[in-house]
């Protein structure tokens, strides 16, 4: 009898655990609609994958009640059980790895982490489109793997951030690919194609189906979060047509037209008096009409509410509903549309057709993601498993990105690299040197493996001493004497200084450009006391003025590491000890402290001689610099020369010639008056010879610039027109080819916002070499 009772208990326990397992399996099933096992709902036309998506979207919208429609207009869209439609969360993030931010991602199941790549500003410094694409591919596949495992409630990732880094104080500059519009646009294209499952060249996704959805944000001219009394929620950016055309719009145009991004996020701020999310010309005329956006437009979170509560652009909450829906916005991150759309209908401020238009775009997107085709495990991308998350391949890619992104800013008398064999002791000093989280920057997830910079260096030099030096990163108090004592005992000293997310982040712009608190004083004291020159490692997204260190002979080397991601510790250590040759180049100008006197809310890009306004970014800024855009040293020396240029005179004859509108004597032609045939014929093939003249192999980007021969404030001082990565052994040489397209690369915007090509002499620039090209109109 006792044995029988025991046996029954075992059976009951086993059944209990099996049922729990079944329930658990059911609970992690990814959300999808049109379950084939539901005979009622699977028969609806919107569940028929053979029909065109537009027809299916129309069908599902036609079946919804008004109340159901309203609830679908926000990021947390509820399920509709009677139609077999699952819930959907639109808000997920994937800036530089699947992120813990947003409401769609859960790290509470079997998946506890995802590969965390360097923050974008460092990845940008590789100037490597192929690398950018491969990183985005990995993020997209990890996102789909998390969805397949039931830990991602939506496949719409709200990235990339493609605002240019207009002002160095912007707390979100770290999220961007730098200050050059063309380069940021190329980053956007590579990222979008990788995330969405397209090929590197584009064109693979002919049927419109996506691995995941990428979102170009923040549209447009949002690059101020919280500075002085200006807030992103109420800031009215007064932007000239000229600057919109050749600085602010180009990255978004590339993202949509070339990248085929499936989403755009409208920004909080107003531009010239109109909130971005209520701007019909911006969202409908330009993004959808001119650029051909196929996808959905989302508001930044609570941006619709701010139009009423903070900007007072809308007199009633229903007016904010009407303004945004009629402008072309589709989904509200927030709750404003859920709360006020029904009353906006009742007050006749919107029509049901306005809602239907938005819903058509939203359901079309979910269908393109395959979420209305039944069980996703049986469909394309259904075989992407959790094994890809934190895979060796992806972690090696994170390390590659950090290695190739880190920028060597100073190397006096070839002080670096250090000899691993001859370095018997090391002192590492800095408040964040033993912190792994700081390596990730913002919009981060959970790393596959956490390794601090200190731990990375300890792996090479076991006799490594550590002292934080400062109480916090803001360094309001510094233990200078203690840190100096430790530094004196070591063969070499590595100082890890800079910023973190308490100083620069979303909603936290900086007020000045120097190192915070007593960091500079601490660095100088240690450098003065150490037996050998010290190494300064700068961890920051936005630039800092380190002129004092640049000029200090006791500081032998300076390395900028951005926020290098989970591979950052290994990458830095390999570079310091010569196992990797640094090749990164700065994607942003490093300004002196005095630049902080320039009002951050002044959106003008070009300098104004009459009042001393210096302009912004390397393209227009005419003041002193700490480090230039594109600057970066190597452990080897490269030489460049123009091997061949296919044509040096461009004839634009028999076209309408215009006098310039900026009190200049030059003539120009509008790009819109030049036909495609003439533009294609004008393409210049430029071959650049590159030689590694040093003793160490290295990979680095070759940057090709263009400069108009006449220095004028209206014309860029120079513009980046191409970049290519080359990998050369010691003594090796190669040639790399650039296709220069004058109808794209020789253009600037006039005061009306029209793109023009000026007559006259231009110079192609690479390294210290230049090659003249003349435009005749």
């Amino acid at each position: 009898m006792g044995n029988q009772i025991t046996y029954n208990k075992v059976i009951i326990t086993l059944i209990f655990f099996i049922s729990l397992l079944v329930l658990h399996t059911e609970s992690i099933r990814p959300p999808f609609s049109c379950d084939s096992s539901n005979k009622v709902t699977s028969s609806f036309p919107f569940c028929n994958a053979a029909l065109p998506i537009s027809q299916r979207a129309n069908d599902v919208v036609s079946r919804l009640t008004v109340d159901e429609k309203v609830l679908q207009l926000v990021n947390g869209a509820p399920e509709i059980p009677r139609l077999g439609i699952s819930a959907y969360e639109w808000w997920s993030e994937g800036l530089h790895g699947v992120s813990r931010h947003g409401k769609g991602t859960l790290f509470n199941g079997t998946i506890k982490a995802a590969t965390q790549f360097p923050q974008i500003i460092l990845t940008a410094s590789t100037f490597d489109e192929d690398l950018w694409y491969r990183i985005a591919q990995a993020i997209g596949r990890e996102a789909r793997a998390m969805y397949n495992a039931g830990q991602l409630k939506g496949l719409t990732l709200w990235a990339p951030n493609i605002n240019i880094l207009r002002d160095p104080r912007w707390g979100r500059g770290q999220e961007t690919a730098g200050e050059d519009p063309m380069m940021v646009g190329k980053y956007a294209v590579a990222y979008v194609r990788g995330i969405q499952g397209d090929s590197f060249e584009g064109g693979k996704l002919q049927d419109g189906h996506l691995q995941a959805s990428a979102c170009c944000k923040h549209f447009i001219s949002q690059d101020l979060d919280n500075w002085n009394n200006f807030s992103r929620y109420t800031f009215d950016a007064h932007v000239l047509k000229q600057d919109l055309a050749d600085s602010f719009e180009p990255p978004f145009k590339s993202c949509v037209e070339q990248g085929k991004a499936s989403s755009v996020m409208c920004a909080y701020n107003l531009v010239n008096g109109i909130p971005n999310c209520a701007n019909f010309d911006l969202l409908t005329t330009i993004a959808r009409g001119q650029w051909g956006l196929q996808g959905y437009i989302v508001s930044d979170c609570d941006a619709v509410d701010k139009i009423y509560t903070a900007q007072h652009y809308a007199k009633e909450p229903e007016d904010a509903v009407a303004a945004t829906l009629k402008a072309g916005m589709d989904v509200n991150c927030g709750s404003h549309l859920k709360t006020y759309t029904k009353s906006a209908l009742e007050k006749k401020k919107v029509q049901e057709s306005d809602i239907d238009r938005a819903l058509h775009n939203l359901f079309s997107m979910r269908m393109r993601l395959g979420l209305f085709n039944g069980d996703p495990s049986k469909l394309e991308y259904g075989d992407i498993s959790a094994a890809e998350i934190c895979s060796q391949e992806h972690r090696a890619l994170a390390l590659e990105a950090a290695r190739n992104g880190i920028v060597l800013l100073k190397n006096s008398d070839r002080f670096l690299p250090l000899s691993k064999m001859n370095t018997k002791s090391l002192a590492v000093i800095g408040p964040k040197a033993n912190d792994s989280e700081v390596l990730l920057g913002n919009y981060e997830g959970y790393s596959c493996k956490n390794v601090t910079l200190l731990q990375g260096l300890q792996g090479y030099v076991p006799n490594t001493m550590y002292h934080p030096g400062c109480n916090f990163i803001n360094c309001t108090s510094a233990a200078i004497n203690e840190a100096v004592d430790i530094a004196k005992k070591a063969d070499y000293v590595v100082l890890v200084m800079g910023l973190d997310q308490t100083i620069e982040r979303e909603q936290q712009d900086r007020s000045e450009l120097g190192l915070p608190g007593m960091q500079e004083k601490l660095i100088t004291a240690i450098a003065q006391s150490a037996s050998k020159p010290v190494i300064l490692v700068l961890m920051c997204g936005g630039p800092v003025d380190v002129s004092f260190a640049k000029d200090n002979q006791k500081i032998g080397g300076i390395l900028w590491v951005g926020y290098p991601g989970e591979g950052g510790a290994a990458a830095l250590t390999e570079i310091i000890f010569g196992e990797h040759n640094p090749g990164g180049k700065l994607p942003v100008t490093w300004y002196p402290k005095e630049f902080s006197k320039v009002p951050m809310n002044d959106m003008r890009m070009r300098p104004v001689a009459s009042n001393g306004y210096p302009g912004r970014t390397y393209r227009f800024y005419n003041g002193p610099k700490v480090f230039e855009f594109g600057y970066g040293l190597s452990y080897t020396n490269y030489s460049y020369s123009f091997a061949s240029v296919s044509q040096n005179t461009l004839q634009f004859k028999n076209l309408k010639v215009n006098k310039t509108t900026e009190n200049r004597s030059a003539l120009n032609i509008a790009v819109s008056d030049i036909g495609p045939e003439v533009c294609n014929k004008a393409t210049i093939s430029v071959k650049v010879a590159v030689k590694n003249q040093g003793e160490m192999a290295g990979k680095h980007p070759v940057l090709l610039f263009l400069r108009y021969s006449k220095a004028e404030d209206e014309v860029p001082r120079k513009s980046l027109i191409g970049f290519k990565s080359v990998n050369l052994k010691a003594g090796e040489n190669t040639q790399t080819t650039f296709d220069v397209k004058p109808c794209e690369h020789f253009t600037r915007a006039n005061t009306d916002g029209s793109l023009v090509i000026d007559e006259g002499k231009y110079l192609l620039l690479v390294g210290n070499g230049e090659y003249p090209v003349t435009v005749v109109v």
Side-chain angles (χ1 to χ4, degrees), residues 224-225 230-235 268-270 301-303 306-307 310-311 506-507:
L224 178 155
D225 265 54
F230 293 93
S231 163
R232 62 180 180 172
Y233 300 126
T234 55
F235 178 50
Y268 290 112
N269 59 294
L270 304 89
C301 294
D302 292 325
K306 299 299 181 188
I307 291 173
Q311 297 170 4
E506 187 169 7
Q507 298 195 62

Side-chain angles (χ1 to χ4, degrees), residues 434-454:
N434 199 28
D435 183 338
S436 60
E437 187 175 349
V438 71
L439 303 179
L440 306 182
N442 69 353
Y443 280 92
E444 78 290 359
Y446 298 104
S447 295
C448 307
K449 188 175 182 181
N450 297 309
V451 182
T452 70
L453 298 185
L454 173 63

Side-chain angles (χ1 to χ4, degrees), residues 573-755:
T573 305
E574 289 176 10
I575 287 172
I576 286 177
F577 287 99
E579 293 184 10
H580 182 81
N581 189 353
K585 305 283 187 183
L586 293 178
V588 62
T589 302
W590 283 37
Y591 300 84
K593 293 177 183 178
E594 290 72 29
F595 189 85
S596 60
K597 297 175 184 176
V598 176
M600 193 173 173
N601 61 305
D602 193 326
M603 301 294 292
R604 291 174 296 178
M605 298 300 295
R606 289 159 168 82
V608 181
S610 60
N611 63 9
Y613 181 73
R616 296 178 179 278
T617 78
Y618 81 96
R619 295 170 68 229
F620 299 108
Y621 174 65
N622 61 14
K625 308 173 186 73
V626 179
F627 294 110
E628 285 193 298
F629 174 93
Y631 176 82
L633 303 174
S634 168
Y635 292 156
T636 191
N637 296 312
Y638 298 101
S639 65
Y640 310 92
S641 62
F642 287 98
S644 67
V645 178
S646 63
Q647 53 183 324
N648 59 15
T649 302
L650 301 175
Q651 300 274 356
F652 292 106
K653 294 286 189 178
N654 303 318
L655 294 170
K656 181 182 177 183
V657 178
N658 307 305
K659 291 184 178 180
T660 60
T661 58
E662 302 95 0
N663 299 316
R664 298 169 58 240
S665 59
L667 301 176
N668 62 47
I669 51 173
V671 175
S672 59
D673 290 336
I674 308 173
E677 186 177 343
V678 175
C679 281
N680 291 335
K681 199 172 180 180
T683 298
I684 306 170
S685 179
V686 178
K687 290 186 178 179
V688 175
V690 188
K691 183 172 184 180
N692 183 344
Q693 295 183 318
E695 301 173 353
M696 189 174 184
K699 178 182 178 181
H700 81 292
V702 179
L703 309 184
L704 180 66
F705 292 91
L706 182 75
R707 186 176 74 226
Y708 190 57
S709 60
K710 298 177 183 177
E712 302 178 32
D713 289 347
E714 289 297 323
V715 179
R717 298 171 70 82
K718 66 177 181 177
S719 294
L720 181 69
I721 60 172
F723 50 92
K724 296 279 185 72
S725 288
V726 296
N727 200 342
L728 295 174
K729 297 176 183 176
E732 192 177 13
N733 60 70
T734 190
Q735 288 188 2
T736 186
T737 302
F738 297 89
D739 288 329
V740 178
K741 301 176 181 179
C743 291
E744 177 184 343
H745 298 132
F746 279 54
T747 64
R748 67 172 181 88
N750 65 16
T751 53
D752 297 326
S754 300
L755 296 179

Side-chain angles (χ1 to χ4, degrees), residues 159-164 170 181-182 184-186 188-189 192 215-223 244-245 247-261 263-267 269 276 282-283 286-288 290-293:
N161 179 341
I162 56 169
N163 299 110
I164 61 168
W170 188 30
M182 184 275 285
V184 175
K186 285 190 176 294
V189 171
V192 168
C215 174
C216 315
K217 68 180 187 184
H218 310 83
F219 194 44
I220 194 169
S221 305
Q222 184 189 304
D223 43 31
L244 273 172
S247 289
F248 296 107
E249 286 184 355
F252 289 92
K253 186 174 190 287
S254 296
C255 196
V256 174
E257 278 192 346
Q258 298 172 41
K260 305 299 180 186
S263 177
V264 164
M265 176 184 286
C266 50
N269 59 294
N276 281 311
L282 194 65
L283 305 187
I286 295 176
R288 289 201 186 279
Q290 295 177 16
W291 300 343
L293 173 68

Side-chain angles (χ1 to χ4, degrees), residues 537-553:
V537 175
L538 295 170
M539 192 153 37
C540 53
V544 290
D545 183 351
V546 288
S547 301
F548 77 95
K550 183 180 175 184
D551 300 332
N552 189 332
Q553 294 182 351

